[in-house]
Amino acid sequence: MIEVGLGGVRDATNVLPPASLAAAVITAVGHDHAAALGGSIKAIAAAKAGIMQAGRPVVLGRQPEAAAQAVLLRRGGRWRLVEGVVCRAGWFAAQAGGVVRQHGCWQVNRVGTAVPSVNVFCLLPPACRAAQELGCPVIHASEEVRFEPAGSEPGTSDGAAASGGAAPQLRQRATMALSGDTAAALVGPGEAVQLDVSLRLLGAHQLDNAAAAVAAAACLRRHGLDRIDLQAVAAGLEAATLPGRFQLCQFAQDADVAAAAAAMTAQGGDAGGGSSSARAGQPGPWVVLDGAHTLESAAALAQTLRAAFPTAPVALVLAMAEDKQHRWGRAGVGAGGRRAGTTGHVQLAGAVANAQQLASTPAPRVSRRDICQALRTLHPVAAIFTGVPIAGGAARSAAPGQLAAAWQAAAILGGGRPRGGVRTRELIQASLTAAVERARMELRAQRGERGVVVVCGSLHAVGAALAHLPLVPC
């Protein structure tokens, strides 16, 4: 299995010969890497469609954006050689036959570099290199692999129940129903099957991902890997974990306290009076690590966390990359705010019909404020903003003050705190370690249920937490 690094059309992994490709798998297309992939959901979907190979199967996961689904399925143009201009603002404007389009995908020069416009040649990506054009058999994963949630299993980590709070739901149970080509490959032609499964991956979005994985496994079996059968698929689903995505941990000292409390409870409690948990000590909060840094992933994190911890107090630790999810205007507006076709004093004009259509389509207006608005639905008792090194340095790390401003803007846009709702303390800390410790202090002040520290905003933040904090996975 080869995972694409970025997009698909120009990714270095897109070098496999078609005959060796059992299937190209495209899960839900969101707004991640928008600046590098064109700025709109259509452009992002077109880039991801580049992993398709003529005549080879394509597994499509559930697409929340209808525009992305249409791009992935419809006929598109092929690559063509065009002449272009390197713009003063750092954007590449491709020109063919007097027609000009601006493409944020190519940042030939860094923004702000004072260089004159020069002519270059490059390969312009098609509007869409889609399944219909390439003759790819399409397997719609959400139609051939259906999961019906059947509830959740209580967590089994030591001391979870003894801590006096709600036990975390470490697994979600579901009934998996197979049909179509996927069922034919795994259980035989004309057969339909239902199977109860228990997943360690939590959230409705993970059921969609699991459906795509099962459909892809069926493609591998048709490609000659006979060892992949229904039992192997079920075992894989139940064993699969994804570090950095709703990864539940606790501090080592809290794990020891919780284990001691559980042991005392198993022995019948304290004969001398008092609760066993009081004598063993109250464990500190749970820690959830999640690299959520887009609107879609932040919303999924909030929904999943409240399903697992419906009433637990939450303290949020947020650190993000500076270049993630900047606000976009309409498609065709460059990073410097100029309209497409304007580079310094050079005015570029003209457009073909499809360029006009794409240019008139609003690009996603997603920003850190929107991500904060999704996270505010957790109603945390504290939101603590910090920074982490990105790619080994601080240059790409968003300033904590910027994150705090985005959080406050989200509050204003959302109408502020609901009457009687939780008042969120907003704090800034210089390091992730200090921020997590402050979050634990804030939760210790909350009496009753064991709280949850949520570290999110970047996989770099997750990596820093795992590297520098004494955490024990649950």
Side-chain angles (χ1 to χ4, degrees), residues 27 31 34 65 74 86 126 260 273 318 322 330 394 445:
T27 55
H31 294 103
E65 298 275 0
R74 80 184 183 209
V86 180
L318 186 62
E322 196 277 337
R330 296 182 65 84

Side-chain angles (χ1 to χ4, degrees), residues 28-32 41 44 48 63 65 296:
V29 176
H31 294 103
D32 200 11
I41 198 68
I44 296 170
K48 292 181 180 291
Q63 298 299 324
E65 298 275 0
E296 296 89 351

